[in-house]
Amino acid sequence: MNLTDVKHTLRAARIEKNASLMLLVFSGALAAPGRPRWTAVLAAAVATLLGSMLVTQLNQLTDAAIDLGEKRRITADFLRNRKASWRVVQSELLGLVLALTAVWTLATWTTLVGVCAFLTFSTLYSYNFLSASPVERRWKAHWFTHALAFCGAYLSLWIAGFATRSVSEARAVVPWFLVASASDYLVYLVETGLDRHEESRARMQTLA
């Protein structure tokens, strides 16, 4: 395994894109009363980043048949040396387990559940493990589950961040976080409108 193989695998993880998800955890923590527990917040944010990297790599594989242009080249580079790519993915998985362990140790159960809920929604978006046809029925293929996956994932991160400081008041802020999550989703739809031709060609019924 060389640095080029590592670069290709990490490129498929879209780190620059997924790093923004960490901001939702930090925003949730800052919205909570009192001083944030920064070690717990950082652990939740790192788990979010590593989990989103893994899910994005999974999405590269499940979208391989419909991706065009630059996305197709990224997937091809990702799969060029599968043994090396798998080693990098294993390192990411180990990092995720360690980060989740840190969340369990430093934060509340609500924060851990929030991060795990984010990972669940994100995985269902790319690979519906609840279905006998996990790729064909992945949640990104239909407008309702597409929206549910994104809003559910965003809401989970808001709550995960908030719960690092306050659990008792979390219920009161859920409606506000839901509005914020819906707003984030609308921004995402605008930004990803360029993918609509690929998704239409694959007969996906999304709102993008």
Side-chain angles (χ1 to χ4, degrees):
M1 181 172 65
N2 54 47
L3 289 177
T4 301
D5 295 324
V6 175
K7 178 181 177 182
H8 287 159
T9 305
L10 293 179
R11 189 183 181 198
R14 306 286 292 278
I15 298 175
E16 71 286 351
K17 173 184 175 181
N18 289 315
S20 61
L21 292 170
M22 301 171 70
L23 295 177
L24 297 181
V25 179
F26 287 113
S27 297
L30 292 172
R35 185 177 180 181
R37 297 169 56 191
W38 290 116
T39 52
V41 175
L42 183 60
V46 170
T48 297
L49 176 60
L50 290 171
S52 59
M53 288 168 58
L54 287 164
V55 171
T56 301
Q57 289 164 333
L58 173 62
N59 190 64
Q60 290 288 145
L61 299 179
T62 56
D63 271 2
I66 67 171
D67 280 341
L68 300 172
E70 183 65 16
K71 286 186 177 181
R72 177 164 289 185
R73 286 190 289 272
I74 292 174
T75 302
D77 289 339
F78 178 37
L79 297 176
R80 183 166 289 121
N81 188 338
R82 301 194 180 198
K83 186 176 181 180
S85 295
W86 175 236
R87 287 179 179 174
V88 176
V89 170
Q90 284 180 313
S91 299
E92 294 170 4
L93 280 169
L94 177 60
L96 176 59
V97 171
L98 292 175
L100 289 174
T101 301
V103 173
W104 179 33
T105 304
L106 300 171
T108 63
W109 274 102
T110 305
T111 296
L112 180 61
V113 170
V115 174
C116 289
F118 162 76
L119 296 175
T120 301
F121 280 117
S122 300
T123 302
L124 288 169
Y125 173 82
S126 300
Y127 188 86
N128 186 0
F129 55 83
L130 301 176
S131 171
S133 303
V135 175
E136 291 79 6
R137 295 184 179 276
R138 59 195 187 278
W139 281 21
K140 72 176 297 181
H142 190 269
W143 71 268
F144 178 74
T145 48
H146 188 282
L148 180 61
F150 269 91
C151 291
Y154 290 154
L155 178 62
S156 298
L157 293 181
W158 275 102
I159 293 176
F162 188 91
T164 59
R165 180 61 187 171
S166 176
V167 176
S168 60
E169 299 180 39
R171 288 186 180 181
V173 296
V174 166
W176 298 104
F177 287 166
L178 187 58
V179 171
S181 300
S183 299
D184 289 335
Y185 179 58
L186 290 176
V187 172
Y188 169 83
L189 290 179
V190 173
E191 292 178 344
T192 58
L194 294 176
D195 292 336
R196 64 183 182 277
H197 298 301
E198 296 174 19
E199 296 182 349
S200 297
R201 187 167 58 88
R203 297 182 179 179
M204 292 185 179
Q205 302 173 22
T206 68
L207 295 175

